[in-house]
Amino acid sequence: MIPALIILFLSALFLVWQGTLSLEVGFALMAFSISATIWKRLRRVQILRRIRMESKERKAKWGGIMTVVSGLSSFTGMSCHLFITRNDELVVEDVAGIRVIPLSEVERMGLLYGKTLSRQGDRQLMRQLGFRTIPNFSSVRAWVERNPRARNRLLLVVRFQEPLNRLEYSEMVVFSDIESYGNLRSFALRPEVAVKTAILPRRSKVKSGSLRKITAPVLDDNILK
């Protein structure tokens, strides 16, 4: 959104300078683009501040806002709040209710970009993420196709040892950080998370401080068979 507003501002400025656009219309467009940019920045600051306050109120070690993609009874595309409590529990809170999931019941987690799904098949992702069985990302791929912005945003994949419950029969839940409120860097740096999390794509050389340096080891292929 912000890049589009910047393009609008520069286009209006160029057209006014060229004489193609009247001063009144040009200045109105430039004022609109500047105001909208400032408003979006302020709104982002307010949301991030609210996340920090809610995490502090719950005495949580981490908090973020994500979008449900698949695996929960919540509607696809619904915003939800995620927290990690001091008891090492993953709390998922949305209009459908509150779910408390002990991290001990989580088998593996993964962080990958939406575009990675179009480049790798489910079997490849199983090995890259260290899953013991082949996951089904077909519905996630379809959602990413319907939401192009999600291609360049991180997905959080949570694989459980057992299905959540009878009402939410799912062994895997996928969230998207499409709005960039997930605070996923801090999430991945949590020790209790890092030991179970793989971050894709993997590279042989990583920069200092990169998240890929803290990924959990992937199981050997012989174990995965």
Side-chain angles (χ1 to χ4, degrees), residues 3-17 30 33:
L5 292 171
I6 294 175
I7 292 173
L8 175 62
F9 175 85
L10 294 176
S11 299
L13 180 63
F14 175 76
L15 292 175
V16 169
W17 173 77
M30 286 187 282
S33 60

Side-chain angles (χ1 to χ4, degrees), residues 13-36:
L13 180 63
F14 175 76
L15 292 175
V16 169
W17 173 77
Q18 198 178 37
T20 307
L21 196 66
S22 65
L23 289 175
E24 294 79 4
V25 176
F27 286 148
L29 290 174
M30 286 187 282
F32 168 78
S33 60
I34 292 174
S35 301

